[in-house]
Structures are given as C-alpha cells and as structure tokens.
C-alpha cells in the first residue's frame, strides 16, 4: 500500500562544497499483512484518497515512516487487523542548486555513454549513473535533480560523484 | 595486350583482349583463352529502340540488399489485352495472395521514401533510414508503438547521423499523425535498441543552431551577405549563456539580421520557415538583444544601425 505524507523539511547535507539539497519526494511501501477493503477505507477514513495510481508526498525518510505508521493506526481503528511490516522506501527524489551555469553540450560529449541531451525535446541533460543506478537531471542553470535513490546516503554518494564533473564543465562567462 | 599461357602453343604468348566479343585471344595461334568475360566498367544504355514497352535487357528493379534475396521475386503478369477478367481468374488470385516475407518491410520503406521525398532528402539519408528500420524491425517491443512515429524517428536519426539534422517539427510535418512527443520517445527507444545491438557505435552529436541556419535562410530568401552574417552571429552566440533551444536561437538571430538589413522579414514568415512560435522568437530576441553588439559582425552592421534595432 502506498504512503502519503505532507510537509517539507530542509536537511543539511554534510557536503564539503556547502551545497544543500532539498528532498522533494519520498515513495515508500509498507506491508500491513492483512487484506484491506480499499473502498471501505476510502469512504470511512477522513483524509484518505483511493486513487489506484500511487500518490506520494513525504519530504523526509522519517516523515514518510511516521505517516505510514499514522496510516496504519487509522486503518486499525477502522477495524482491520493491520500490522506494520516491511516498511521500505522505494524512491527518493531531491533537488539542489550548485549556483553556476553548466556547459551541457560539453558534458554530453565527454560522457557520451551516460548522457542523453536533446535540447529540442527536453532542456535538461539526463545523466544515468550506472554504478549507483540513479538518474540525474542536469540543467544549464546549475539546478540538479537526483532521483532513484533508496536512501539519503545514496543521494549524497551520487552527488559527490557528479560534482567534480560539473565543475569541470562550468560555463565561464566572458 | 598481355602475356598469358597458351595451352596450344605451350608457352607464354601475347594475348589480345577483344572488347566487342569479350574474348581473350592468343595472338600466335588464335586460340580463344577466355570467352564472355564480364565487363566491370560502368553501365551503358542502348537508346536505339527506346520503346517504353519492353526492354528485355533489364529484368526487375535495382537489387535492395535489405530485402531477403535482394528483392528477387517472380510475378504472374497480366496477359496482353486482359482486363478485369484477369483478377477474378485463378491466376490473378494466386498472384495477389502471394506470401511475400518482406511485405511489412516494403511498406515501411515506401513510407520512409514518401517522407524523404517530401523533405527533399538525398538517397543516402533515405537508405540509412531504411537500414535503421530494418535493424529494429523484428523486435517485439515496437509492435505496441505508433508505426508512423517509429518510421519518422528512423528518418530523424538518419538525418542526424549524416550531419544534416532536421528539426523534429520538420519531420512532424511530413509524418502523418506522429506528434513531437511520440517521435522523441520513439527516437530514444531506437537509439537504446541500436546501442544494445551494435555495441555503442551511435555517433550522434548534439544539434547546433548553425546546422539549420542555411536551410532556414534559404527558405526565407535572404541575401548571401545576410546568410554569412547570420552564420557568424550564431558562432559567436554559442559562447553566451543563453538558455534556449538552438532552433529558437537560430530563429531569433535570423530575425535580428533581417531587421538590420533592408529586407525586413515579418515575424510570421520567420515563424513559418523555422517552425518556432512567434512568442518564442520574441522571447529569444529579448535574451539576445543585450549582446547584439557582440554577436552581429561589424562587417554587416555598424554601431548606429544596432541602435535602430527595436528594443523588444
């Protein structure tokens, strides 16, 4: 069952460059170990939405877990024998700003195997990091979006990886 | 005149090559050493009896290595004088039922050829597009996708690979029913499949404004001087930090150059020739305007002319 969260929370990163990134979205799943009648829950519980498409919104790992627990409690109150099993974060999306413009074409030329840059289709460069299985959207303004992480550490690691590359392709304005 | 071993004379003798009959003849005893030698020089045509009806010299069309057997096939043709009766007869039915293994392929090639004709593309690009289509053709995963989008994407990739890129919008205009999004997705898909199959030899560089400039300028009928100035301007603009699609930048530069020349093109014409929306050209022009002195070459327009440039 998918989890729904609410507020945003800024997390300081331990990154030497001093760049802070904000986690925008966390998708997680939890096994309640009992059959749930989704329609009943949707009708009875006050702030629930039965949407067969997964809806998410938690802004931190802890918030996500907290929200999942709260939801399990609500389901319990409705009369289902719910348990809190196998809470797992499926995806974490974060964004950050490195505050300098980037030469996307140069980057795509040198890292040809990992990059996909089609300015006609999408203004950002799509960087698929093989070893960490993450995807980064890199924009010419210097804003980066990292997705595919299962934890904050994954995000940090990927960012550490890409930062030197980005400084290498910094756009020097004359 | 060459030396070869003649079996009759039992020694090396001078040999004459008779072009008319294609014979290699020993000059001493007259023995024909090789007859019917195949002429590998370029083709020639006989214009003597140029009748459109039957030229018995040629059979079938040019060989196409992409089709099975090179496109050889046997056809039951209509007997002379027969009309409707032929197709209802058994012979006619057997011919049209024929299980040609390449039917889909031939249809796809035909569609690509039509699209290429509409865009005025050379045969090299068309053939490359055919090759690309053949490579991805029998993968199950394309069955679900829009066939038009796949063919359009093959053509788009072929143009890119031959260093003559066409904008996705241009390809859209000749592909019936495929949207820009669909073609973009199909292109990503095909590139990934080709990488898997051919082991990463897809060399497709990023597009630049300069690649399209000549074409856009010729659509608008700009003078040579203006075209050269536009090309220089585009070169210089690449150093600037302008966050716009290369096509929009090209359109904006064309607009700037034409405003500076005597032959001012209205925004509508430029929008039509480049496929960029008028609003986008205006916005890109706004971005470029502060750098106008840096990008417009001084040989084309002096400082005062730049003042005449309307501020967006």
């Amino acid at each position: 069952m998918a989890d729904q969260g609410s507020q945003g929370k800024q997390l300081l990163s331990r990154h030497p460059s001093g760049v802070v990134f904000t986690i925008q979205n966390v998708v997680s799943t939890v096994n309640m170990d009992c059959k749930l009648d989704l329609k009943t829950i949707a009708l009875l519980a006050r702030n629930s939405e039965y949407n067969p498409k997964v809806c998410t919104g938690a802004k931190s790992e802890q918030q996500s877990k907290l929200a999942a627990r709260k939801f399990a409690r609500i389901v319990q109150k409705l009369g289902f024998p719910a348990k809190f099993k196998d809470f797992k974060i499926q995806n974490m999306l974060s964004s950050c700003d490195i505050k300098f413009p980037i030469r996307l074409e140069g980057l795509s030329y040198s890292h040809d195997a990992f990059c996909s840059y089609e300015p006609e289709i999408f203004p950002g460069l799509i960087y698929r990091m093989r070893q960490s299985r993450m995807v980064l959207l890199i924009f010419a303004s210097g804003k980066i979006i990292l997705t595919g992480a299962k934890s904050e550490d994954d995000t940090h690691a990927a960012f550490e990886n890409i930062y030197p590359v980005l400084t290498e392709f910094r756009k020097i304005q004359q | 005149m060459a030396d070869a071993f003649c079996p009759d004379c039992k020694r090396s003798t001078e040999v004459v090559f008779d072009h008319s009959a294609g014979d290699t003849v020993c000059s001493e005893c007259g023995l024909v050493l090789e007859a019917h030698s195949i002429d590998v020089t370029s083709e020639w045509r006989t214009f003597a009896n140029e009748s459109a009806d039957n030229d018995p010299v040629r059979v079938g069309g040019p060989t196409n290595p992409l089709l099975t057997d090179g496109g050889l096939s046997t056809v039951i043709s209509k007997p002379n004088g027969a009309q409707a009766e032929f197709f209802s007869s058994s012979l006619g039915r057997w011919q049209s039922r024929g299980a040609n293994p390449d039917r889909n392929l031939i249809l796809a090639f035909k569609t690509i050829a039509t699209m290429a004709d509409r865009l005025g593309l050379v045969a090299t690009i068309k053939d490359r597009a055919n090759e690309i289509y053949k490579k991805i053709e029998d993968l199950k995963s394309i069955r679900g996708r829009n066939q038009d989008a796949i063919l359009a994407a093959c053509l788009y990739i072929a143009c890119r690979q031959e260093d003559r890129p066409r904008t996705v919008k241009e390809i859209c205009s000749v592909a019936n029913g495929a949207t820009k999004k669909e073609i973009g997705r199909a292109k990503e898909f095909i590139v990934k499949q080709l990488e898997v199959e051919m082991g990463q030899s897809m060399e497709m560089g990023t597009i630049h404004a300069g690649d399209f400039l000549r074409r856009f300028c010729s659509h608008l009928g700009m003078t040579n001087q203006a075209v050269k100035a536009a090309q220089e301007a585009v070169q210089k603009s690449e150093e600037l930090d302008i966050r716009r699609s290369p096509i929009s930048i090209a359109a904006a530069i064309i607009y700037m150059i034409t405003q500076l020349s005597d032959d001012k093109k209205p925004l509508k014409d430029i929008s039509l020739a480049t496929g960029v929306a008028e609003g986008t050209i205006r916005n890109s022009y706004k971005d470029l305007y502060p750098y106008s002195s840096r990008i417009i070459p001084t040989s084309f327009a002096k400082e005062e002319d730049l003042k005449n440039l309307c501020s967006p």
Side-chain angles (χ1 to χ4, degrees), chain A residues 58-124:
Chain A
K59 298 273 188 194
S60 83
E61 287 184 57
Q62 294 100 318
Q63 289 241 328
S64 171
K65 194 147 191 177
L66 192 62
R69 282 195 194 279
K70 282 192 178 161
F71 191 77
R73 166 109 332 185
I74 294 174
V75 168
Q76 253 182 357
K77 287 210 172 129
L78 284 176
F80 295 96
K83 288 202 241 11
F84 204 76
K85 255 175 98 171
D86 307 329
F87 176 80
K88 179 169 178 241
I89 293 187
Q90 303 290 357
N91 180 29
M92 276 180 70
L93 187 150
S94 14
S95 64
C96 78
D97 184 2
I98 56 175
K99 309 267 198 291
F100 56 78
I102 307 171
R103 287 183 289 122
L104 294 182
E105 199 206 316
L107 172 53
S108 93
Y109 185 70
S110 84
H111 290 242
D112 190 38
F114 310 111
C115 297
S116 160
Y117 178 44
E118 285 288 332
E120 267 187 287
I121 313 268
F122 185 64

Side-chain angles (χ1 to χ4, degrees), chain B residues 69-140:
Chain B
D69 299 339
L72 293 173
S73 68
T74 306
V75 183
I76 302 173
S77 71
K78 241 163 58 154
N80 267 337
Q83 276 124 23
E85 47 179 279
F86 175 69
F87 286 106
S88 46
S89 77
S90 20
L91 273 186
R93 264 179 276 127
W94 288 334
Q95 173 50 42
S96 22
R97 208 187 300 155
N100 194 340
D102 293 326
R103 179 165 301 152
N104 285 338
L105 209 53
I106 293 183
L107 189 59
F109 287 174
K110 206 159 185 182
T111 320
I112 291 183
T114 323
M115 290 197 290
D117 269 343
R118 290 222 203 106
L119 286 173
L121 297 173
V122 286
T124 351
I125 298 181
K126 182 163 59 95
D127 290 335
R128 201 176 257 259
N130 286 347
E131 271 179 48
I132 295 174
Y133 182 75
K134 173 139 211 272
K135 286 206 187 96
I136 57 149
E137 166 228 6
D138 32 34
L139 296 173
K140 239 185 355 185

Side-chain angles (χ1 to χ4, degrees), chain B residues 247-268:
Chain B
I247 320 289
S248 315
I249 296 185
I253 287 189
I254 291 181
Y255 179 64
M256 210 184 260
I257 295 277
T258 51
Q259 293 296 102
L260 285 173
S261 69
D262 299 321
D263 176 30
K264 298 187 182 7
K265 307 273 176 207
L267 257 183
K268 198 156 129 202

